[in-house]
Amino acid sequence: MKLNCKSQMISLNGKLYPCTTSITMDIIGGKWKSVILYHLKDGTLRYNELRKSMPVVTERTLSLQLKQLEKDGVVYRKEYSGKPPLRVEYSLTDLGQTLVPLLEMISAWGDTLAEAGGEVVSNR
Amino acid sequence: MKLNCKSQMISLNGKLYPCTTSITMDIIGGKWKSVILYHLKDGTLRYNELRKSMPVVTERTLSLQLKQLEKDGVVYRKEYSGKPPLRVEYSLTDLGQTLVPLLEMISAWGDTLAEAGGEVVSNR
DNA sequence: CGGTATCCTCGAAGATACTG
DNA sequence: CAGTATCTTCGAGGATACCG
């Protein structure tokens, strides 16, 4: 059955959504999740590599967002536990991989706007 | 120049973004904007028609979100002012139309998840 | 290195009532 | 019909310090 977002609610994992777009936006929306996913789309990154790619995010927020992405099944967290220094790697799951075309479209649309009126401001 | 979201900031309309995905998400993100846009993708709707398509949103929130979409240039507000009853129609602008493939992809991705584990809950 | 713990701010969104 | 006006709540995200 194809859901069509007309005057009905959809229940998924204990949450109620008014539209299938809301489901996707719940998973990739917010200030940071699409950015994290975009950086992971080209491969595995360690926690600190992610941090360096996103200089403005705080550690706490990055950590929280990663946990949510992990819980929603789009990001995989692999911990290589030997003695410290600890090594943790993040990557997209198979489900996360299915988001890549979407992430690229989102980025491309924003890119078009930026080309028209945007400006690169800083390099760190 | 193609922007790549690596350690630089992009300035657009007085806001700073860490990534081109952030630009798009700023415009279509949040709890309601993608739902509104999805409903408008098939044509013009009056304020009350939008309300009825989205029974859980409050008037205030719908009104605020529509204003932001209008300000960001993706929604067009046309007021037919005669004497009351007032008639206002909302539709996508040309820029808004370029979001349609994206909105459909967002909806389709959520739909896939819902088919796997979701459940339609109510009919109003 | 890869996080937590605490505390805090601020804006998105809701409830309800009212209006041109 | 198509909103505004007020007031309130709630949670995302930030600042800073500390931990295994």
Side-chain angles (χ1 to χ4, degrees):
Chain A
M1 174 202 38
K2 182 81 172 150
L3 302 172
N4 62 8
C5 305
K6 304 286 185 216
S7 303
Q8 103 255 95
M9 299 291 276
I10 305 148
S11 167
L12 183 60
N13 300 140
K15 290 183 183 175
L16 277 178
Y17 299 96
C19 180
T20 50
T21 60
S22 306
I23 297 173
T24 307
M25 297 304 283
D26 193 31
I27 293 176
I28 69 168
K31 193 165 173 181
W32 292 110
K33 290 199 277 193
S34 71
V35 184
I36 295 172
L37 292 169
Y38 188 81
H39 280 105
L40 288 178
K41 87 181 169 60
D42 294 321
T44 296
L45 287 177
R46 299 180 60 172
Y47 180 80
N48 253 352
E49 293 176 311
L50 272 173
R51 279 240 304 157
K52 280 170 202 156
S53 320
M54 304 159 57
V56 272
V57 76
T58 61
E59 295 172 346
R60 178 194 127 94
T61 297
L62 179 56
S63 176
L64 279 174
Q65 302 305 310
L66 281 167
K67 270 186 191 156
Q68 289 189 41
L69 292 167
E70 194 187 354
K71 173 174 71 56
D72 285 328
V74 292
V75 160
Y76 174 62
R77 178 184 185 276
K78 167 90 178 179
E79 185 175 332
Y80 298 85
S81 39
K83 63 243 82 189
L86 201 33
R87 175 193 186 85
V88 178
E89 287 185 350
Y90 291 95
S91 55
L92 297 183
T93 61
D94 288 350
L95 180 61
Q97 292 288 346
T98 65
L99 280 170
V100 171
L102 185 48
L103 291 165
E104 282 173 343
M105 208 162 168
I106 290 172
S107 172
W109 196 87
D111 198 57
T112 306
L113 274 201
E115 305 263 313
E119 191 181 338
V120 176
V121 163
S122 110
N123 261 15
R124 63 159 315 260
Chain B
M1 174 201 37
K2 181 83 170 149
L3 302 172
N4 61 6
C5 305
K6 305 284 184 216
S7 304
Q8 102 256 93
M9 299 290 277
I10 304 147
S11 167
L12 183 59
N13 301 139
K15 290 183 183 177
L16 277 178
Y17 300 95
C19 179
T20 50
T21 62
S22 306
I23 296 173
T24 307
M25 296 305 283
D26 193 31
I27 292 175
I28 70 168
K31 192 163 173 183
W32 292 111
K33 290 198 278 190
S34 71
V35 184
I36 295 172
L37 292 169
Y38 188 80
H39 279 105
L40 288 178
K41 86 182 169 61
D42 294 321
T44 297
L45 287 176
R46 298 181 60 174
Y47 180 79
N48 253 353
E49 294 176 311
L50 272 173
R51 281 237 305 156
K52 282 169 201 155
S53 321
M54 303 160 56
V56 274
V57 76
T58 60
E59 294 173 345
R60 179 193 126 92
T61 299
L62 178 55
S63 176
L64 278 174
Q65 300 306 308
L66 281 166
K67 270 186 191 155
Q68 289 188 41
L69 291 167
E70 195 188 353
K71 174 175 70 59
D72 285 328
V74 292
V75 160
Y76 174 62
R77 178 184 185 276
K78 167 88 179 179
E79 184 174 334
Y80 297 86
S81 39
K83 61 243 81 185
L86 201 31
R87 175 195 187 84
V88 179
E89 288 184 349
Y90 292 94
S91 56
L92 297 183
T93 61
D94 288 349
L95 180 61
Q97 292 288 347
T98 66
L99 279 170
V100 170
L102 186 47
L103 292 165
E104 282 172 343
M105 207 162 170
I106 289 171
S107 172
W109 196 86
D111 198 55
T112 306
L113 274 202
E115 304 262 312
E119 190 181 341
V120 176
V121 162
S122 111
N123 260 16
R124 61 160 316 262

